[in-house]
Structure formats: C-alpha cells, structure tokens
Amino acid sequence: MKRTKIGRNDPCPCGSGKKYKSCCLALEGLVDPSIKPFDRYSQLISTLKLKLDQHYNLQIRKLRKPLQEKFLRLSITHYLPPEQEPVFSDWLWFDMTDNEGMSFGTEYMRDNGEFMEEPLRDCLQALNSSYLSLYETVGMADDSLQVKDYLTQENHLVMLKEPLEMEAGEFQPLLLGRLVALPLGKVFSGMVLMLKNDEGQGDFVNQHIKYLHQLKPKEEIIDLLKNNAEILFGLFDHANQKNTVSLKDIRVLRFEPDQPNPMNEQKLSATCTLVHTTQGIQWYDLKESFSQVRIGIHSDYMVFYADILADILRMEDWLQELIPQAHWEVVNSLFLLRPPAPEMDDIWYTVIREQETERWLHTVHSELNNKTPLEVLEQETGRERLQTLLDTFASKSLDNEYSKDLVNYMRQRIA
C-alpha cells in the first residue's frame, strides 16, 4: 500500500493528538550518527511508551487496577513499589493480550505502523517481540554488558550508557528485565530489578519455570516467558523474599477398565502411611515430604496432591518408578491460571473435599473449647460430640448441595 503524504501541520497519525511537526517528524533527529546508539534507543523507547500511554489513556485508566491485580496474582505482596512500576507497564503494553491475541503494542502497530518513522516502527516491533526474563552477568566489553539468559541459556551483549564497575565474586546477583533487540544492538527496556543469588534463588526460579514448561510442553521457552510474565514476576517476588510457592498441584491416573490396580502394595506401604478409607478411597500420606502430600486410591483411579515443587518432583520420580509409562493428567495447578477442565470436576471436587476436611480436623474451634476435632476425637465421647456439632452446623448453615455433601463427608471421615 502506498504511504500517504503527511503535512507538517497535520495531526500526527500516531494518535498523540499533536501536530506531525511536533511529534513523529522530530524523530528524524534521533538517527543522527553522532548520537550514541544507547542514547538514541533510550529516547525512542521513552517516546514510544509515552505515545502508547497517551493513545490508550482512557482504556488504561479503567483497566489499570484490575490488570495490576492480575499481574500481581502470584506475588506475595499485592502492591507495586514505584521502582517496579515500569516492569508492570511493559507487561501491560507488550504482553497482556485481549481475546483476539492483540496487545496494546501490536494493535498500535497494526493501526499506525504505516505512518510511523522507521526508527520508531523498528523500536515498536522490537518491544512487541521482547519478553521478561532473568539474566546473569558474565562480564564487560567496552560500553556493553555481557549477560546470559538464565532461563533460555542464550548469551547477549547489552548496550549501556557507560561502563559498569563489576565486583568479582561467586554469587553475582541476577537481573530481571526485558531485552529489546534493535538494529544496532540490544538494550534493556526501562527498569532492571536485581535478585540476590547467594542461596539458590536463581535455581528456585529456574526449577519452577521448568515445571511450567511441563504443564505447557507445546510452547517454546521464549513464548512461554512472553505469555506468562506475571508468573515469572511472582517467582521473582517469592525468590526475593525466600518464600515457597503453593502450587496446588493435583494429578490423576485413570485405570483401564477391567484391568487390575497397577499399584504395588508393598512399595506403597514402604513409602506411605494409610490415613483413612472413606467413600471407597484409601488415602495415604507420603512419609517423607516438605508439606502434606496425599495419595488417594480408588477402584477406577489414583490421585495425588502436593503444594511444594520439591514434593511434586519427588512424587513424579517415585510414581514413575512404581508405575512406568503411566499417563498422569494434571487436574489443577496454580500456574495454569484457570479452573480445572469440566471433565476433571469430579476428581477436583474429591480432592478439595478431602483437603477441606483435613483443614477442619486440624483447626482450633471455639465450640470445642479451643481444641481441634482431632484432639476431641481422642476423648471418650469425642466422636459423638463432633457428630452433634456437625448436625447443629447442618441444621443452621447449609444452603447448597456442596456444603451438605462436605458435612456428610466429614461425618463419615470421623466415623
């Protein structure tokens, strides 16, 4: 398509509301060879982000709060310090997509790319292709920083405004940032956050990204990072505060019809402890784990749930040894960022009901003189007392089928 001639006093087609001579026409000066590439690209990136902010001001003003909540949904702290705001803004402009798979950046390119000056268009294209990742510093080369992408293992040379004084040491901090690949080199887009790596923080993030890749094996690692920047940011926050992630992982192995249970009872009892049998399911606890790992065996399926990645990996290894070539289906995971599939509802509900009952059994209740139901069960009339409590609760509070079924399951559990 032939490009339309734009007059100096015409409105700038980029949507800023300014005249062309006061907007994109001024960018011609940024390609002056006398300007250092780093300064040139910094100006282009800043100008472009300002244009996006102005162009989508009304939409962003309405969406900013819910989108910030979405970006922070896996973080420990649910507010953004000022120094981390640019990371969120880049995600909002270049990663967050609508139902048609369009980000603000790709939509802006579609609508205005034809009229943009070439340097700005190249910059927008590079930002649209960029992704948030974690980098380790390797060394310096003149005014450039040598880094290695900690998650993709790719090496990069990043332009800097001036040489960086680096202290030698075994535990160099990692950098959380977004690299923008431009014609004359690569620069970080805005703010770069630092993460200490003296206690395995980098490995913590890397192992969780590998776990995410298992959940979405068809995505290339770069696409995975591009499409899940909020997960990486949440992992950064957890690693920075040295906190584990509750993954809420649930998996199921459905047995073939008319086939015997493939579980080896001897190996099962050597590694697990039978806790109870309720409604035809035998529930076992893994003897050695960092948090609760529970396995349920039904005549039609086997299910397990675990929260911490180390326990999930241990279960995967053990079950692979126990039942080779078994096809385990993921029912639920925090990193899927969606509810379980409808065909998994029955398995999901079975696990949730078990977890809710366990939580109730281990929680102190004022109605039980600040004791837990498990403590009351040890008393002479404890079971009858708990049954009476559940009857009272059922008569006063139950208003849906889920609540009724849960209380009924609790009755059978304590029986």
Side-chain angles (χ1 to χ4, degrees):
M1 184 183 294
K2 186 177 179 180
R3 179 171 170 175
T4 306
K5 178 69 175 176
I6 306 170
R8 290 174 54 81
N9 291 313
D10 290 340
C12 188
C14 75
S16 66
K18 299 179 181 179
K19 293 182 178 180
Y20 180 58
K21 67 180 181 181
S22 302
C23 194
C24 286
L25 182 62
L27 293 170
E28 292 179 354
L30 295 181
V31 298
D32 187 340
S34 64
I35 299 178
K36 293 176 61 176
F38 176 86
D39 294 328
R40 186 188 318 167
Y41 289 149
S42 293
Q43 291 179 56
L44 283 171
I45 290 173
S46 298
T47 300
L48 183 57
K49 291 180 179 180
L50 180 61
K51 287 181 179 298
L52 289 172
D53 199 41
Q54 292 173 337
H55 188 76
Y56 294 105
N57 181 267
L58 293 179
Q59 294 99 309
I60 290 176
R61 188 182 302 174
K62 294 177 181 178
L63 295 173
R64 193 171 189 87
K65 184 176 180 181
L67 287 179
Q68 192 173 100
E69 291 175 354
K70 180 178 179 180
F71 183 68
L72 296 174
R73 55 185 161 181
L74 300 187
S75 299
I76 298 173
T77 49
H78 295 288
Y79 70 93
L80 272 177
E83 66 272 15
Q84 296 181 1
E85 280 280 352
V87 180
F88 163 69
S89 295
D90 280 358
W91 171 84
L92 188 154
W93 291 323
F94 308 117
D95 292 342
M96 198 280 299
T97 57
D98 58 18
N99 294 332
E100 298 179 358
M102 298 283 287
S103 68
F104 285 126
T106 53
E107 182 182 272
Y108 193 89
M109 174 66 82
R110 181 197 64 188
D111 296 342
N112 302 293
E114 178 189 1
F115 305 103
M116 295 168 66
E117 295 296 324
E118 185 176 357
L120 199 65
R121 188 168 59 249
D122 289 344
C123 184
L124 178 56
Q125 185 61 54
L127 281 164
N128 284 338
S129 301
S130 66
Y131 59 91
L132 189 68
S133 194
L134 201 62
Y135 300 90
E136 57 180 330
T137 56
V138 178
M140 286 292 302
D142 298 324
D143 288 353
S144 296
L145 178 66
Q146 296 174 323
V147 300
K148 182 178 181 180
D149 191 318
Y150 199 77
L151 305 177
T152 70
Q153 298 301 300
E154 295 181 352
N155 292 302
H156 303 277
L157 202 60
V158 187
M159 292 188 295
L160 300 175
K161 186 174 183 62
E162 55 190 24
L164 183 68
E165 293 185 8
M166 294 178 57
E167 294 184 6
E170 184 180 357
F171 302 110
Q172 291 292 337
L174 301 174
L175 308 176
L176 182 75
R178 180 183 295 265
L179 268 186
V180 185
L182 291 158
L184 296 180
K186 298 174 181 176
V187 295
F188 278 116
S189 169
M191 183 64 64
V192 175
L193 306 179
M194 299 186 70
L195 174 68
K196 287 185 177 180
N197 194 24
D198 54 351
E199 295 183 25
Q201 291 93 330
D203 286 341
F204 170 86
V205 175
N206 196 23
Q207 290 298 318
H208 282 79
I209 291 296
K210 289 180 179 178
Y211 164 78
L212 173 63
H213 210 180
Q214 285 184 347
L215 299 178
K216 303 181 178 183
K218 295 183 180 180
E219 288 191 62
E220 296 293 332
I221 182 65
I222 290 178
D223 293 333
L224 199 72
L225 294 171
K226 176 74 173 172
N227 298 329
N228 298 276
E230 66 269 44
I231 291 181
L232 178 56
F233 188 80
L235 290 174
F236 169 85
D237 191 37
H238 278 78
N240 196 38
Q241 301 195 42
K242 300 177 183 177
N243 220 313
T244 57
V245 182
S246 178
L247 293 167
K248 302 177 183 178
D249 190 289
I250 303 173
R251 305 192 186 196
V252 64
L253 170 64
R254 298 185 188 273
F255 302 147
E256 294 294 331
D258 303 321
Q259 292 294 320
N261 185 335
M263 178 58 67
N264 184 308
E265 291 292 339
Q266 185 176 359
K267 289 186 177 180
L268 179 66
S269 60
T271 312
C272 301
T273 301
L274 179 63
V275 182
H276 68 94
T277 300
T278 305
Q279 293 191 358
I281 303 178
Q282 294 176 302
W283 289 100
Y284 295 82
D285 275 347
L286 193 65
K287 292 179 180 178
E288 296 183 7
S289 61
F290 295 98
S291 61
Q292 187 183 65
V293 180
R294 186 153 287 188
I295 305 161
I297 301 179
H298 186 268
S299 58
D300 297 330
Y301 61 82
M302 177 177 175
V303 65
F304 84 83
Y305 64 84
D307 267 353
I308 297 175
L309 182 57
D311 288 334
I312 297 170
L313 297 177
R314 182 178 298 179
M315 281 295 296
E316 285 181 341
D317 292 342
W318 178 64
L319 290 170
Q320 180 61 32
E321 178 185 343
L322 205 62
I323 316 174
Q325 283 80 50
H327 176 59
W328 289 86
E329 300 175 83
V330 178
V331 178
N332 187 68
S333 171
L334 179 74
F335 283 3
L336 290 177
L337 304 176
R338 58 170 173 73
E343 62 270 20
M344 296 290 187
D345 278 351
D346 57 334
I347 301 296
W348 176 81
Y349 174 68
T350 297
V351 170
I352 295 301
R353 185 175 59 186
E354 173 68 11
Q355 290 176 320
E356 288 295 322
T357 300
E358 280 299 304
R359 189 176 295 112
W360 174 72
L361 286 169
H362 288 84
T363 300
V364 170
H365 297 272
S366 58
E367 299 90 341
L368 301 175
N369 297 325
N370 294 322
K371 294 183 180 297
T372 69
L374 281 180
E375 291 173 327
V376 173
L377 277 174
E378 296 177 355
Q379 299 173 356
E380 185 175 352
T381 59
R383 183 168 285 103
E384 291 78 5
R385 188 178 173 189
L386 290 178
Q387 293 285 9
T388 300
L389 177 65
L390 290 173
D391 289 342
T392 302
F393 178 70
S395 64
K396 293 182 178 179
S397 307
L398 300 189
D399 56 0
N400 59 68
E401 291 302 316
Y402 169 76
S403 299
K404 294 177 182 177
D405 186 71
L406 178 60
V407 169
N408 184 52
Y409 184 80
M410 290 176 173
R411 286 196 184 100
Q412 295 182 52
R413 173 74 172 82
I414 63 175

